[in-house]
Amino acid sequence: MRKPFENEFPDDKYFSFYIEKVESQNVIDVLMAQESLVKKIYKNLSEEQKKYQYAVGKWTPQQILGHLTDTERIFGYRALCIARGEKQSLPGFNENEYMDASHFNEIPFESLLEQYRLVRESSIALFSSFSEEVASRIGIANGHEVSARALVCMIAGHERHHLNILKERYNIG
């Protein structure tokens, strides 16, 4: 699946920020490479690193892993709905409210890593089944017209953003 054309997502900071982080034109290949990288990075973390916060109120790497999985579920659901021709506007979500309700730091780490793996593998299987026509379908998500393909690309760009944060602020990866 290729990256979306500029007319497939709104010209705003939110969408462009993530889509621009995807350097390859083959988004499925990016998702597969990211899965391997995330598993490698997280597998080698100590218990102290998993719960580290670089500043008060910032998420731990364990919370970031849960957030990546939640966000992929949400963006993947949106992509599925749009790919299937949904005409209803799909809701947004507040990442901080989701985090407050998640309790990711209390969930066994191996469970979070397994959930990430299963969600990513399921996403790859689904998105790989999208034809060009299906991937380019436009729907409304979070109040914006967006293609299924753009949402898939946003998953990869969102993850790249958080991997960069782990490297720059947590010295992980």
Side-chain angles (χ1 to χ4, degrees), residues 30 72 84 86-87 89 92 97 100 107 124 157:
V30 172
E72 184 159 337
R84 300 298 187 250
E86 181 62 64
K87 301 300 181 215
S89 179
E97 289 176 4
D100 290 344
I107 296 173
I124 290 169

Side-chain angles (χ1 to χ4, degrees), residues 140-170:
I140 301 172
N142 199 27
H144 300 282
E145 286 191 350
V146 62
S147 71
R149 170 182 23 245
L151 288 162
V152 173
C153 193
M154 286 184 65
I155 291 169
H158 174 260
E159 188 158 299
R160 169 53 41 211
H161 165 69
H162 282 287
L163 290 174
N164 288 345
I165 289 173
L166 285 171
K167 188 173 191 172
E168 294 164 9
R169 300 197 179 140
Y170 295 81

Side-chain angles (χ1 to χ4, degrees), residues 133-145:
E133 186 270 327
V134 167
S136 65
R137 288 183 182 151
I138 304 287
I140 301 172
N142 199 27
H144 300 282
E145 286 191 350

Side-chain angles (χ1 to χ4, degrees), residues 46-173:
S46 68
E47 289 304 313
E48 183 179 314
Q49 287 175 306
K50 292 172 191 172
K51 306 286 186 186
Y52 174 75
Q53 292 175 286
Y54 69 88
V56 175
K58 296 299 181 181
W59 297 347
T60 67
Q62 185 158 329
Q63 288 173 308
I64 291 171
L65 179 61
H67 168 70
L68 290 174
T69 305
D70 272 2
T71 301
E72 184 159 337
R73 286 175 168 134
I74 292 164
F75 286 5
Y77 172 74
R78 291 174 180 174
L80 171 65
C81 290
I82 290 169
R84 300 298 187 250
E86 181 62 64
K87 301 300 181 215
Q88 302 271 343
S89 179
L90 301 166
F93 78 106
N94 181 308
E95 65 185 34
N96 292 311
E97 289 176 4
Y98 273 53
M99 185 59 71
D100 290 344
S102 72
H103 306 287
F104 288 133
N105 280 334
E106 286 104 50
I107 296 173
F109 177 75
E110 290 304 322
S111 173
L112 287 176
L113 197 55
E114 179 68 358
Q115 287 181 56
Y116 169 85
R117 182 189 69 78
L118 291 168
V119 169
R120 178 53 56 95
E121 289 177 8
S122 177
S123 294
I124 290 169
L126 172 65
F127 304 149
S128 294
S129 75
F130 288 1
S131 67
E132 176 70 17
E133 186 270 327
V134 167
S136 65
R137 288 183 182 151
I138 304 287
I140 301 172
N142 199 27
H144 300 282
E145 286 191 350
V146 62
S147 71
R149 170 182 23 245
L151 288 162
V152 173
C153 193
M154 286 184 65
I155 291 169
H158 174 260
E159 188 158 299
R160 169 53 41 211
H161 165 69
H162 282 287
L163 290 174
N164 288 345
I165 289 173
L166 285 171
K167 188 173 191 172
E168 294 164 9
R169 300 197 179 140
Y170 295 81
N171 200 28
I172 295 172

